[in-house]
């Protein structure tokens, strides 16, 4: 009977440990976070991203910075909450006969009281996409990198294809011809077309629609933007248009 009891207790203890019921060392309520430093890359790579939640500023790609809006800050706090159940030092080295490479992550969290909490991880995998991380890490990584990538690549599309207006009644298309970019707006059935502009391909950094009207924005290589608004049966340059805050420029 004693052996049975000991066995049952050991099973319960093991289950307790596996479910991650203990908290990470130094982890506090997410509302107490002031700064998160994050990096995830092959071991040969360097660089990290800094999310200053207290001042609402994102620092990335060494010299670039961008404002964080309140919804992004809230998303970051919600995403990082999963780390409370992690081991501060994670290591995963599976047996594999295939080719693998080392991948790492490092997260440093700073709090209002001046303390900090650090997480480090190491795993072997065939690629970054197939790497095994702690539970919830992929979602955290997706949230943080998504916020950064919005700044890197912006709201503007550069590829050929159809880009529909908010209601689907029109689509803008981009076509490349030698050194020129030809931008045309068409009705949803493709029967009517409205030429917008032709510009040098080296100057073009993408186009995007506004969320609730027919204003089409084009970004240039210098980071400038041009707005074309529907005027009767054509789209003309609108020099008085104000770019909405939700339209994010590409990093140039």
């Amino acid at each position: 009977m004693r052996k049975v009891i000991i066995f049952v207790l050991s099973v319960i203890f093991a289950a307790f440990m596996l479910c991650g019921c203990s908290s990470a060392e130094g982890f506090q309520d997410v509302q107490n976070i002031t700064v998160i430093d994050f990096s995830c890359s092959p071991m040969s790579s360097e660089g990290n991203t800094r999310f200053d939640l207290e001042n609402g500023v994102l620092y990335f790609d060494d010299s670039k910075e961008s404002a964080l809006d309140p919804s992004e800050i809230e998303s970051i706090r919600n995403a990082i909450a999963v780390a409370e159940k992690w081991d501060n030092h994670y290591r995963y080295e599976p047996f594999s006969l295939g080719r693998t490479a080392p991948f790492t992550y490092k997260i440093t969290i700073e709090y209002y009281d001046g303390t900090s909490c650090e997480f480090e991880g190491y795993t072997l995998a065939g690629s970054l996409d197939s790497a095994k991380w702690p539970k919830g890490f992929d979602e955290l990584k997706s949230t943080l990198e998504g916020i950064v990538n919005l700044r890197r690549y912006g709201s503007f599309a550069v590829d050929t294809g159809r880009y529909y207006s908010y209601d689907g009644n029109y689509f803008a298309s981009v076509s490349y011809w030698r050194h020129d970019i030809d931008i045309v707006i068409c009705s949803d059935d493709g029967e009517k077309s409205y030429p917008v502009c032709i510009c040098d391909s080296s100057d073009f950094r993408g186009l995007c629609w506004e969320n609730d009207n027919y204003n089409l924005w084009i970004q240039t290589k210098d980071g400038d933007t041009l707005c074309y608004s529907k005027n009767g049966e054509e789209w003309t340059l609108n020099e008085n248009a104000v770019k909405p805050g939700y339209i994010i420029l590409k990093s140039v």
Side-chain angles (χ1 to χ4, degrees):
M1 175 62 73
R2 183 178 179 181
K3 290 183 178 180
V4 173
I5 294 175
I6 292 175
F7 174 76
V8 172
L9 290 176
S10 65
V11 170
I12 294 174
F13 178 76
F16 178 84
M17 294 300 292
L18 289 174
C19 75
C21 296
S22 59
S23 296
E25 181 179 354
F27 195 88
Q28 297 185 23
D29 186 283
V30 296
Q31 297 303 321
N32 296 335
I33 297 174
T34 57
V35 173
I36 298 174
D37 280 321
F38 175 80
S39 64
C40 178
S41 63
M43 288 189 68
S44 59
S45 300
E46 296 180 356
N48 72 298
T49 304
R50 185 173 179 85
F51 300 86
D52 185 341
L53 306 188
E54 182 178 15
N55 297 304
V57 181
L58 166 66
Y59 300 91
F60 65 106
D61 293 349
D62 296 330
S63 61
K64 296 183 175 66
E65 62 181 76
S66 177
L68 290 167
D69 66 46
S71 64
E72 290 176 320
I73 293 175
E74 188 64 21
S75 295
I76 294 168
R77 293 190 190 279
N78 291 337
I80 200 69
V82 69
E84 181 180 5
K85 301 301 182 183
W86 291 354
D87 189 331
N88 295 81
H89 303 282
Y90 173 86
R91 192 174 186 89
Y92 181 72
E93 297 183 85
F95 173 77
S96 175
L97 296 176
R99 186 174 181 179
T100 60
F103 299 93
T104 66
Y105 68 82
K106 184 174 182 180
I107 305 171
T108 302
I109 305 173
E110 300 175 13
Y111 298 101
Y112 282 109
D113 62 5
T115 62
S116 63
C117 176
E118 188 171 287
F119 296 92
E120 291 183 319
Y122 170 95
T123 184
L124 291 176
S127 67
L128 184 59
D129 291 336
S130 63
K132 182 176 177 61
W133 306 110
K135 184 178 180 180
F137 179 84
D138 284 327
E139 291 79 0
L140 168 61
K141 178 173 176 289
S142 177
T143 296
L144 299 185
E145 291 186 346
I147 291 172
V148 176
N149 286 340
L150 185 60
R151 272 71 175 179
R152 286 188 178 129
Y153 308 118
S155 306
F156 293 81
V158 297
D159 297 329
T160 57
R162 297 183 176 186
Y163 300 96
Y164 283 87
S165 61
Y166 76 101
D167 57 3
N169 287 338
Y170 300 95
F171 65 84
S173 65
V174 179
S175 59
Y176 290 78
W177 176 251
R178 295 184 178 177
H179 300 295
D180 292 330
I181 295 290
D182 188 11
I183 301 173
V184 176
I185 293 176
C186 300
S187 57
D188 62 338
D189 55 13
E191 292 185 0
K192 295 182 179 180
S193 61
Y194 313 91
V196 176
C197 69
I198 297 176
C199 59
D200 192 312
S201 60
S202 65
D203 194 42
F204 179 68
R205 292 297 181 272
L207 58 78
C208 72
W209 293 94
E210 288 192 26
N211 285 348
D212 55 2
N213 59 54
Y214 297 135
N215 283 349
L216 183 74
W217 289 85
I218 297 172
Q219 183 181 346
T220 68
K221 66 179 180 181
D222 297 322
D224 295 330
T225 53
L226 303 173
C227 178
Y228 289 84
S229 299
K230 191 173 187 298
N231 184 12
E233 288 298 307
E234 61 180 351
W235 267 260
T236 57
L237 182 63
N238 182 354
E239 296 181 347
N240 297 319
V242 178
K243 181 177 67 65
Y246 57 79
I247 293 180
I248 307 298
L249 300 182
K250 289 179 182 291
S251 178
V252 297

